Structures are given as C-alpha cells and as structure tokens.
C-alpha cells in the first residue's frame, strides 16, 4: 500500500530497548504483577491526572470490572451509545446487565439531549463512549447523572488525553476504562487495558477483582477474575508512555490538516468540531458521498481506509434479543452508510496525507 493503515512496523522499528526490558523480566521471573506494572500504573495515573490506575488484561475488562465493582448484575440496565465497538456492550453483557442505547450526534458520540429519556427504574449506570478520540459533552451528562443518582463509567478506550472543558476523558465519572490495544494512541504488544479512578474504594475493589479477589495469597475476599496486566506488556507501555503527549500533538496536527484540506471537496463533510472538546484523533473519520465506491477507489490507489463501522452495534445478530430494528437510531444508521476513516497516526507523512486528499478529489472529479 502507498498509504498503510497500521504504523506498527515504524513505531517499533528498533525494539532493542524493549527487548532488553523483557529480558530483565525473564531473568527475574517476574511475570505476574511485576514491578514494571506498578511503575506503569503510577505513570499512567500521572499522565491522566488521577489518584489511581489499575492495569488489566484488556480494554474490555477495563469497562467490565468497574461495573462489577459497582454491583451491577442481571436485571440492571446500562445506558450507552448506539454506535460503538462491541467491547462496550460486551462488558455490560459480561456482568449480566442489559445495554440500553442512545443515538449519537455527528461528532460520533452520545447525543446527551436524548439521554434522560432512556433512563428507567432499572438504570443502574451510564457508560458514555469517547469514540474516535472525541469526548462526550460530559458536563451535561454528569448533571443528568447527578439528578438521577447514577454512577458514570466512561469508555475512554479511544480517547487517551482527550478532554471536554479542559477535563480529561476518563476522569469525570467514578471510573474510566482505557485500551492499550496495538493500534491505540498509547499501545502495547497485545491486549491490555487500564482503569483510572479517584475513588479509593473503587480502586481497592478493582485490584481485588483483577486478581481472583485475593486479599493476599491465601485469602479470597470476593470472587473476581484473572485480569492482570502482564509485566511484559507493562515493559512496552513504560517504553512508550513518555511519548504520549508528542503522539497526541502529532495526531491533532494531522487531523487539523485533513480538516482544512477536505473542506475544499464539496462531496466530503468534515464532522462538527465543538470548541469545548480536545479530540485526539484515534480515528480520523469524514462523511463521504458514494462512500463504498470511494473506499474501493482508495484501495485501488494503494490507500488503506477503514469503516468504523458498516453496521451499528445495535443491529448485529448478537443483540437481536433487544428487539431493535433498522431506523431505531437514525443518526447511527446514517453514519454507518457514509463514514470513512483515513490514516491519521503520528508516523504518516504530509506527502502521504496529500496523496490521500488528491486521490479523494480525483474520485469525485471523475464522476
């Protein structure tokens, strides 16, 4: 491909320092909750600006464990958004609760104006999704949550260092979950995640839940899970975490460049960019006329693009039991038909971005 989507071969072109760190772990045999995990948790808490960070084995568990710590289970409802990755609803399902959907807005996140209508006596939590690197209007959402005495667990998996009103995503509610998947803005070499919270009791419960509920080697305080962040993955995280601000700045710069360039192509619509949001461009998505044909045109031109996602989560067969039909969440449906994601990572060159824009422009000029 002339413009690839995965940048991992560039990011880890010289893994010497990481491999030496892993060698040290192997020599110590310190594979489970080793000292690198504690170091990464401390550094991540400092990065986000919270008291506690708890490393777990995936972004999905970073969403599930706070719900479990809150005591959610069968019969409970968790409100989330109608367009998100399956991990959001998977985490809700894993504790036995039922996802209740709210449509999104054209910034790809929950339309908070529709939130209150979704609250029922069975609602026990709200899980906003900071999708694509955007951040929900958390000020308005927290006001609604407070009126109804509902805890908020943020799915911030795609929005590390994203902000609303200068306050970071993941820090508004009782807890926030982040993914460290290889294609996230801060990433490791496999599935890992981390939970942040300023609540001491929540942090205590999370540390129990991720490690079988063990208060110590011989005492099980509660029934938990095997969901520890691997020490080997923490080595990778510690190598990269110091670059996170620079990575974020580069992605924001690349996103702004795309916005300006695409604004001159009438068939492409750049999403709204609320001034109160600091978006960190985990994904760069636009609305495109004749999206499917444009996708194929880009592929033929050697540009790797993605669709996030061609079918909204609420319409998948696995959720048929919820009884929804196409059209129940029209904004999510419209997005599924029109959105296209382009590479925006910190390693993409301006020449590559220009090639992307020129290719899109040529597609429309030829129709």
């Amino acid at each position: 491909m002339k413009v690839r989507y995965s940048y991992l071969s560039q990011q880890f072109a010289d893994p010497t320092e990481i491999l030496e760190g892993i060698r040290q772990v192997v020599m110590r045999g310190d594979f489970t909750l080793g000292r690198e995990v504690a170091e990464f948790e401390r550094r991540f808490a400092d990065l986000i600006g919270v008291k506690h960070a708890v490393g777990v084995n995936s972004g999905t568990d970073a969403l599930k464990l706070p719900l479990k710590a809150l005591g959610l289970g069968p019969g409970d409802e968790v409100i989330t958004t109608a367009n998100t990755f399956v991990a959001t609803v998977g985490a809700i399902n894993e504790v036995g609760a039922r996802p209740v959907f709210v449509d999104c807005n054209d910034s790809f996140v929950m339309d908070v104006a529709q939130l209150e209508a979704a609250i029922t006596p069975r609602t026990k939590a709200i899980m906003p999704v900071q999708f694509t690197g955007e951040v929900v209007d958390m000020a308005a959402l927290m006001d609604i949550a407070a009126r109804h005495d509902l805890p908020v667990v943020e799915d911030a998996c795609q929005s590390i260092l994203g902000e609303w009103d200068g306050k970071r995503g993941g820090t508004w509610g009782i807890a926030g979950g982040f993914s460290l998947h290889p294609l996230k803005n801060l990433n490791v070499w496999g599935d890992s995640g981390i939970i942040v919270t300023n609540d001491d009791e929540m942090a205590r419960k999370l540390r129990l839940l991720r490690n079988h509920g063990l208060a110590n080697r011989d005492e099980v305080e509660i029934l938990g899970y095997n969901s520890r962040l691997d020490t080997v993955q923490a080595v990778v995280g510690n190598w990269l975490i110091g670059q996170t601000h620079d990575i974020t700045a580069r992605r924001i710069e690349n996103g702004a460049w795309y916005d300006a360039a695409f604004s001159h192509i009438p068939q492409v619509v750049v999403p709204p960019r609320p001034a109160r949001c600091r978006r960190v461009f985990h994904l760069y998505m636009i609305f495109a006329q004749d999206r499917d044909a444009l996708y194929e045109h880009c592929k033929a031109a050697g540009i790797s693009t993605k669709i996030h996602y061609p079918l909204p989560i609420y319409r998948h067969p696995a959720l048929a039991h919820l009884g929804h039909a196409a059209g129940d969440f029209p904004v999510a449906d419209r997005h599924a038909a029109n959105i296209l994601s382009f590479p925006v990572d910190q390693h993409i060159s301006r020449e590559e971005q220009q090639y992307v824009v020129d290719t899109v422009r040529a597609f429309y000029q030829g129709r």
Side-chain angles (χ1 to χ4, degrees):
M1 304 298 288
K2 293 183 179 179
V3 184
R4 81 294 172 273
Y5 203 88
S6 173
Y7 50 90
L8 296 177
S9 62
Q10 292 168 273
Q11 185 173 43
F12 298 113
D14 182 5
T16 303
E17 188 174 344
I18 298 172
L19 294 175
E20 173 58 26
I22 292 173
R23 190 184 74 84
Q24 293 297 324
V25 171
V26 173
M27 296 296 292
R28 297 196 316 267
D30 196 12
F31 297 108
T32 304
L33 295 179
R35 67 191 188 197
E36 284 83 0
V37 173
E39 178 187 354
F40 182 71
E41 290 174 336
R42 176 186 57 77
R43 295 178 70 185
F44 195 91
D46 289 345
L47 178 72
I48 302 299
V50 292
K51 290 175 65 176
H52 306 283
V54 180
V56 294
N57 72 358
S58 69
T60 307
D61 275 11
L63 306 178
K64 177 181 73 176
L65 267 59
L67 297 177
K68 187 70 174 179
L70 289 168
L72 271 69
D76 295 333
E77 294 179 351
V78 179
I79 298 175
T80 190
T81 185
N83 188 31
T84 181
F85 183 58
V86 65
T88 311
V89 296
I92 295 168
N93 178 74
E94 282 195 57
V95 301
R98 177 186 177 93
V100 172
F101 296 113
V102 170
D103 210 350
C104 48
N105 59 31
D106 278 346
S107 294
F108 310 118
V109 294
M110 181 185 291
D111 184 351
V112 178
Q114 300 185 40
L115 171 59
E116 204 151 16
I119 296 173
T120 76
R122 294 179 296 278
T123 305
K124 294 298 185 291
I126 303 170
M127 184 173 280
V129 181
Q130 319 299 12
F131 192 50
T132 78
E134 293 283 324
V135 178
V136 178
D137 182 346
M138 292 301 298
L141 187 147
M142 294 302 295
D143 284 346
I144 294 169
R147 286 202 300 273
H148 294 270
D149 194 25
L150 291 170
V152 174
V153 175
E154 294 175 66
D155 179 345
C157 287
Q158 297 188 0
S159 191
I160 183 172
L161 297 184
E163 299 175 358
W164 185 269
D165 284 346
K167 184 176 174 64
R168 292 203 170 126
T171 70
W172 289 80
I174 185 69
F178 294 86
S179 171
L180 305 173
H181 179 275
L183 286 180
K184 293 298 190 291
N185 294 19
L186 172 57
N187 52 315
V188 296
W189 285 359
D191 284 317
S192 300
I194 194 161
I195 310 164
V196 300
T197 183
N198 284 310
D199 185 278
D200 294 342
E201 180 61 13
M202 171 61 76
R204 189 186 77 84
K205 287 182 178 178
L206 291 171
R207 294 188 188 282
L208 288 170
L209 286 168
R210 72 157 173 197
N211 191 29
H212 299 289
L214 288 165
N216 54 59
R217 183 182 180 279
D218 301 313
E219 180 185 357
V220 181
E221 181 175 331
I222 59 176
L223 291 176
Y225 304 91
N226 182 357
S227 183
R228 301 176 293 252
L229 173 63
D230 289 337
T231 308
V232 166
Q233 300 298 355
V235 171
V236 184
N238 282 322
W239 179 83
L240 190 58
I241 194 169
Q243 305 173 40
T244 308
H245 284 291
D246 290 339
I247 289 169
T248 302
R250 180 63 178 169
R251 284 175 173 265
I252 291 172
E253 180 184 333
N254 290 344
W257 189 93
Y258 269 143
D259 280 359
F262 280 128
S263 68
H264 300 292
I265 302 177
Q267 298 87 348
V268 168
V269 175
V270 173
R273 306 297 192 196
R276 297 167 70 185
C277 178
R278 185 197 193 217
R279 60 202 56 80
V280 294
F281 292 103
H282 167 62
L283 304 174
Y284 183 87
M285 299 204 307
I286 49 87
F287 302 106
Q289 291 182 22
D290 302 315
R291 190 272 313 279
D292 292 345
L294 175 60
Y295 173 89
E296 293 297 334
H297 177 80
C298 288
K299 182 178 178 180
I303 299 170
S304 180
T305 64
K306 305 288 183 182
I307 300 171
H308 296 92
Y309 297 97
L311 187 68
I313 190 63
Y314 83 93
R315 290 172 53 189
H316 282 261
L319 296 174
H321 63 283
L322 298 178
H324 291 300
D328 284 357
F329 303 98
V331 176
D333 288 338
R334 174 167 53 81
H335 289 184
N338 293 287
I339 54 176
L340 191 62
S341 300
F342 294 100
V344 73
D345 60 88
Q346 63 274 19
H347 295 281
I348 193 171
S349 68
R350 193 67 77 229
E351 291 75 19
E352 288 172 318
Q353 286 191 277
Q354 186 67 59
Y355 179 67
V356 167
V357 173
D358 290 345
T359 301
V360 173
R361 182 182 294 110
F363 168 75
Y364 289 115
Q365 289 174 344
R367 296 179 76 80

